[in-house]
Amino acid sequence: HKASGGAWGAIGVDREFEQLLVRIFGIDFVVSFKNTKPAGWVDLMIAFESKKRTASPSKSNPLNISLPFSFIEHFQKLKGISVEVAIKRYGNRDIKWSSQGMLRLSPSAMHALFDPVMNNIIGHISDLMRKPDLEGVKFMFLVGGFAESPLLQGEVRRAFSQYMRVIIPQDCGLTILKGAVLFGLDPTVVRVRRSALTYGVGVLHKFVPGKHPDQKRTMKDGVEWCTDVFDTFVTMDQSLALGDQVTRSYTPAKSYQTSTVISIFCSEKGHVMFTSDPGVKRCGELYLEMPDTTGGKSRELQATMHFGDTEIKVEAMDLTSGKVGRATIDFLNK
């Protein structure tokens, strides 16, 4: 299956913690503190990070997060009340103030910061497991930095261990880095990858009444054409091996045409009709010279996409003159 999901990593827990601070101390203070005391904000998030890593379903002791002196002082100046008073006014028995200058969170309060992210992860995996292509999966590998969290490990095992074996490799936080290094040393270690998007080029097709919308009808050299047609090279979630390539042949729309721009488009949808469809984005283009016009509209142009690497390489050739144009699409970011 293609890479999928959302912004559901450990940074999502940081966002929930920041929202908790906003609810307790007010958004005006949090924004002011981040802008005027950036070093203090970094110290606060480092303190939270250390406690976030130790959060576990088996721990019953509260977690104390040290608030920087700059935080306490800035709040007093801006609001005219102490941090302790603000926490008491918030009125949550799971969130208290420690006399040692600590924000004290009960285990349930810490777990609540993880819940939105973990619920998204569990829900997305559950949706994937219901797809026919993934029926019969027996093993799940939990990797990445967030996979080191005992809370996430417990939730994933609770949700899926009855259906498959959940495997958490040693040094799971370094697994992604190790894979990148291995690929850099030997690209053939990745046999097959799945296309994250549908890729194609924008072309003209002979206009077919009833099939093509009238607003896309155009006339060139006395011939009716349909504009903005999305000619698909690879569809979303299609398997791509190293070295796979797809070639399409085209002809110029005008007999005297001496150059063309081939626009490359992508979409998250599996079936795309036109480059103007919702969600279709231009992700690249290449310029091709066609100086020899002796063949008129019968000249042949070939466009080729090379797949299987971290980039898609696109090449176009005018077979009459031998002129070649090239472009590259970053496969990791597209």
Side-chain angles (χ1 to χ4, degrees):
H1 195 277
K2 74 181 184 74
S4 61
W8 308 325
I11 294 178
V13 183
D14 295 345
R15 288 196 297 268
E16 291 297 320
F17 177 63
E18 182 176 339
Q19 289 303 308
L20 175 63
L21 296 178
V22 167
R23 291 193 295 271
I24 297 174
F25 303 109
I27 188 164
D28 55 338
F29 164 74
V30 172
V31 171
S32 174
F33 182 69
K34 288 173 69 175
N35 291 336
T36 61
K37 310 286 184 181
W41 178 258
V42 171
D43 290 341
L44 173 58
M45 296 310 296
I46 290 174
F48 175 71
E49 177 71 21
S50 66
K51 298 303 179 182
K52 180 178 71 175
R53 289 177 178 271
T54 62
S56 170
S58 62
K59 289 187 176 180
S60 57
N61 295 329
L63 297 165
N64 295 321
I65 301 168
S66 177
L67 296 182
F69 178 73
S70 59
F71 184 100
I72 298 171
E73 182 185 45
H74 191 66
F75 184 78
Q76 179 76 44
K77 288 181 178 179
L78 192 69
K79 294 289 189 175
I81 60 173
S82 68
V83 167
E84 181 179 3
V85 170
I87 294 172
K88 287 181 179 179
R89 286 182 180 178
Y90 184 60
N92 189 327
R93 67 179 63 184
D94 291 323
I95 302 172
K96 298 180 180 180
W97 173 250
S98 166
S99 58
Q100 290 80 31
M102 305 278 190
L103 181 65
R104 178 170 291 176
L105 303 182
S106 71
S108 61
M110 179 60 84
H111 294 183
L113 301 179
F114 281 75
D115 283 343
V117 176
M118 294 194 300
N119 290 341
N120 282 326
I121 292 173
I122 300 300
H124 185 66
I125 297 174
S126 298
D127 291 341
L128 291 178
M129 290 299 102
R130 285 192 284 269
K131 292 189 175 183
D133 290 348
L134 298 180
E135 186 176 349
V137 171
K138 301 297 182 184
F139 300 95
M140 178 189 298
F141 290 86
L142 199 60
V143 298
F146 197 29
E148 295 178 344
S149 167
L151 284 175
L152 179 63
Q153 292 177 3
E155 284 299 305
V156 171
R157 284 192 168 117
R158 182 190 62 78
F160 301 108
S161 60
Q162 57 183 319
Y163 307 111
M164 65 191 75
R165 184 181 176 190
V166 178
I167 300 173
I168 303 171
Q170 187 176 4
D171 296 328
C172 59
L174 296 176
T175 302
I176 307 300
L177 176 61
K178 290 178 179 177
V181 172
L182 287 172
F183 178 80
L185 294 172
D186 180 11
T188 62
V189 298
V190 179
R191 300 292 184 184
V192 177
R193 59 175 78 238
R194 296 277 187 152
S195 178
L197 301 173
T198 295
Y199 291 93
V201 299
V203 298
L204 299 175
H205 275 185
K206 292 287 182 65
F207 188 85
V208 179
K211 176 183 177 182
H212 296 140
D214 287 337
Q215 62 267 29
K216 294 191 178 296
R217 188 199 307 254
T218 188
M219 184 77 70
K220 294 182 184 291
D221 270 10
V223 179
E224 288 187 336
W225 297 89
C226 178
T227 64
D228 301 332
V229 175
F230 188 103
D231 191 15
T232 301
F233 276 62
V234 61
T235 58
M236 178 195 66
D237 206 28
Q238 182 176 331
S239 296
L240 300 170
L242 186 66
D244 279 358
Q245 64 181 47
V246 178
T247 300
R248 297 277 191 273
S249 294
Y250 306 105
T251 57
K254 299 176 181 178
S255 58
Y256 53 85
Q257 192 169 343
T258 58
S259 66
T260 186
V261 175
I262 297 178
S263 297
I264 307 156
F265 294 89
C266 60
S267 172
E268 295 183 354
K269 297 180 179 179
H271 178 69
V272 184
M273 287 285 292
F274 301 102
T275 59
S276 56
D277 287 354
V280 177
K281 299 178 182 178
R282 184 195 301 267
C283 56
E285 65 179 25
L286 59 84
Y287 176 80
L288 179 63
E289 293 182 352
M290 303 180 296
D292 188 348
T293 61
T294 54
K297 290 190 291 186
S298 63
R299 290 172 291 163
E300 184 178 356
L301 313 176
Q302 284 190 347
T304 303
M305 287 192 185
H306 302 269
F307 299 100
D309 203 344
T310 57
E311 296 177 330
I312 297 177
K313 294 180 175 64
V314 187
E315 181 180 276
M317 175 181 287
D318 173 23
L319 298 187
T320 303
S321 65
K323 295 285 187 179
V324 176
R326 293 183 176 87
T328 300
I329 307 169
D330 186 342
F331 197 62
L332 291 176
N333 296 324
K334 299 295 185 182

